[in-house]
Every structure is written in structure tokens, then in C-alpha cells.
Amino acid sequence: MRFLLDAEQAEFGRTLGRLLAAADVPAAVRAWGTGDSAPGHAVWRRLAGTGVFGLAVPEKHGGAGFLPVELTLSFVELGRYAVPGPAVETAAAAVLLERLGDADGGLAGTWLPAIAAGDAMVSYADLAHGPYALDAATADVTFLVDGDTLRACDGCGPVQPSVDPARRLTRCAGGAVLASGPAVWAAAAQAADTARLLTAAQALGVGRRLLDDTVAYVKQRTQFGVAVGSFQAVKHRLADVLLALEFAEPLVYGAAVEWAGALQADTANHGYGATGAGIGVAMAKVAAGEAAYTAARAALQLHGALGYTDELGLSLWIRRARALRGAWGTPAECRARVLAGPAPAGPQIFHE
């Protein structure tokens, strides 16, 4: 198993980083939280221009094919810059629709080219993983899985209070039935693992950003005439964060490699559930979510609690770390997934 990114992958990540650094993403995040999605859509279009969303779409539908490592790398950068919007849900929906194929009214052929081109912002919710859909009021369509039934919701409820205002959560129900039967449940299982993996990647990026910003801050803040970063207690706190992130990173990329193999095995009719890929994804989600949360707590303390204030950009990442820790599976739920083994007997009911 290869964990090192090659030169092309590393350059792709740097390109995304430069693009997002120049896009004033914090302003887009603040606007998104108030319901103004225009700046966020501008960031989304710039991302689409790099081909990020095509990484989750097969070539026959205008994408680059399933490239899990590149997709994971992209979402680490999305987390590093706190990009708003249902990016995880759009990629998960792409996997769901691709697995269902064109048998159910041409769903894949209708939506996947638009997702690959960045023309469609899609939200996706699975009631087995919680009652809320992310940014359903802003998305072009919200796909909702309820058991073995897939619907396209035609509306949503009011936005619910969230620890991260830029994650606008609503309840969705009703809508036209697009597909039903065991194929929906099987596709939804893979979509959920996709969402969990990419949420882990975002959390890893959030944790890296929090660590970088905190290290920079303790080098410039002084107490008793010296930088606070020179104190042994501060060094130990930051070392704990670095270790957590360093342990999480290979789990996230390892799960991406394993995920690609699982999809190939499923294509060969060996069965996705029997590959055990979901276990690696769940382990990555636990490690990355906890590492980001550790980074957030350390950042808050070492900034002297300034992270509580909305005016400081640090709060955008601290709130995002808390939200991602529970999105698409809390640590307890992911640990339960690991203990369940490689082939769950049926749908698992999780609630946030």
C-alpha cells in the first residue's frame, strides 16, 4: 500500500491551496452563514474549474473517473480553507447515482455530468445517519434516502441552529420517488462511506490549519518578555496535536486506497460489504475527527480564548472541527462500525 503522494498529486494539492488562498474563503464562509450564498458559489465555480468534483464521477459521464486519493487530497484542502457548501454531500450523491446507474429513469446520466462540471450543487441525506440535510435550501436538488427508497425532495424546513453557522441544517421529507429496492440500500451504504471518508479528510485539513495558525500565534505572543511558544507546557500541548494529526493522516489516505479497491471488488461481484473497506473509513473518521477536535481545543486555549469571538477567523475552523467530528458518524458510532466487522447484516441506524 502506497501512502506517499506522487509529484502530480502533490502539485494538484498545492494548486488547490493557492487557488483557495486567493479566494477570500473566510468572507464567503461568513456570508454563507447568514444565508448569502453568492460568494460561496463563486468559490464553488473556481473549484469546479480545477476538476475537483469530476474526481467522483466516472469518465463516461464527463468526470475524471473515480480517483479516491486525489478526491481525498482535495477535501483536505477544502478543510484547510473551511470551504462552505455541501461538497461532501455532492460527492456522496455522485457515488450513489453512479452505483444506481441509468436503470432508474436515467438518474446517473441526468445528474453526473452536471456534478462533474460544477453546474449542480447537490445535497444528500440518509435518514439512517441523521434527520438533517446540509444546505438543502441552497442546493439545486436534495436526494434523500429513507430505508430502501430514494427521493428528490422538493422543499425543506427552516434552518436549524448549528454549532457551525456555515453548516445550514434542515429537515427534508416527501418528494418524488426516484428509485426503490435493495439496490438503493446497497448504493446508499457506499455513499455513506464516501461521505464519512471525505468528512475525515476535511477534518484533517481543519486540524492542520488550526495547528499552523496556533504555532504562528505562540511565536508572536509574548509573556514575561519571551514568546509563549518557548514555554514547555505550550510545546507539549502542540506536540500532542501534531502527533494526533500525524497518526490520522495515514489512516485517511490508507482508507482512500482501500476504498478504491473495494469499489473494484464490487464491480467484480465480490460484494462491497465483504471487503471491509467501511472499517478503514470508520477508523479514519474517528482518528481525523478526534485530531481536529484536539487541535481546536488547543488553539482555543493557546489563543487565550480569543477563538470564541466571531471577529477572529480562528473561530471558523474551531466551529468546523466540532461539527465535522459528529457529521456522518460520531466517534462512538464509527467505533461501533469497526466492531461490527466487515459485512454488516443490514442497515445500521445512526442518529446525531
Side-chain angles (χ1 to χ4, degrees):
M1 185 175 292
R2 179 182 175 84
F3 288 103
L4 294 177
L5 300 175
D6 62 29
E8 187 176 356
Q9 291 167 331
E11 180 55 30
F12 181 61
R14 286 192 292 269
T15 299
L16 274 180
R18 289 192 293 268
L19 181 148
L20 292 171
D24 195 11
V25 178
V29 176
R30 295 183 190 282
W32 195 277
T34 65
D36 177 9
S37 63
H41 273 95
V43 174
W44 191 279
R45 286 192 294 273
R46 298 181 73 170
L47 283 173
T50 67
V52 166
F53 301 110
L55 298 173
V57 176
E59 292 183 64
K60 67 178 181 179
H61 291 299
F66 283 109
L67 298 174
V69 175
E70 286 80 358
L71 195 60
T72 299
L73 170 66
S74 302
F75 276 74
V76 171
E77 293 304 313
L78 266 60
R80 194 188 302 273
Y81 289 91
V83 172
V88 166
E89 286 69 23
T90 295
V95 171
L96 175 87
L97 298 174
E98 194 278 333
R99 304 311 291 175
L100 289 176
D102 289 320
D104 293 292
L107 282 175
T110 300
W111 286 101
L112 290 182
I115 290 175
D119 295 332
M121 180 181 285
V122 177
S123 188
Y124 170 65
D126 185 338
L127 294 183
H129 295 271
Y132 299 110
L134 178 65
D135 296 315
T138 306
D140 297 296
V141 64
T142 297
F143 294 109
L144 175 67
V145 170
D146 183 1
D148 62 355
T149 301
L150 172 65
R151 298 176 183 272
C153 294
D154 51 9
C156 63
V159 175
Q160 301 297 310
S162 171
V163 65
D164 180 359
R167 290 178 59 84
R168 298 172 64 80
L169 303 174
T170 58
R171 291 179 181 269
C172 294
V177 175
L178 302 177
S180 61
V184 171
W185 181 84
Q190 296 184 24
D193 279 344
T194 302
R196 193 170 290 158
L197 174 62
L198 299 183
T199 300
Q202 279 194 323
L204 181 62
V206 167
R208 289 290 187 189
R209 177 61 179 263
L210 285 166
L211 178 60
D212 291 345
D213 286 358
T214 305
V215 168
Y217 181 74
V218 299
K219 286 180 179 178
Q220 71 180 29
R221 179 187 171 192
T222 60
Q223 195 170 38
F224 310 120
V226 298
V228 297
S230 63
F231 300 152
Q232 198 71 5
V234 173
K235 292 179 180 179
H236 285 173
R237 191 73 195 271
L238 292 172
D240 288 342
V241 174
L242 178 61
L243 281 175
L245 292 168
E246 289 291 309
F247 276 115
E249 186 163 321
L251 288 177
V252 171
Y253 283 106
V257 174
E258 195 175 23
W259 177 43
L263 294 178
Q264 292 173 357
D266 186 42
T267 302
N269 295 321
H270 294 305
Y272 175 79
T275 64
I279 295 176
V281 170
M283 292 170 63
K285 176 66 169 57
V286 172
E290 295 293 60
Y293 190 54
T294 299
R297 296 181 63 178
L300 185 62
Q301 181 187 25
L302 298 180
H303 276 78
L306 288 174
Y308 279 122
T309 61
D310 285 334
E311 290 76 9
L312 188 67
L314 186 75
S315 65
L316 304 180
W317 284 270
I318 289 177
R319 289 170 168 172
R320 186 63 54 87
R322 177 66 183 87
L324 294 179
R325 184 171 180 250
W328 290 103
T330 65
E333 291 165 351
C334 290
R335 291 188 177 100
R337 174 67 184 89
V338 174
L339 293 174
Q348 293 179 299
I349 307 301
F350 294 145
H351 296 290
E352 291 190 29

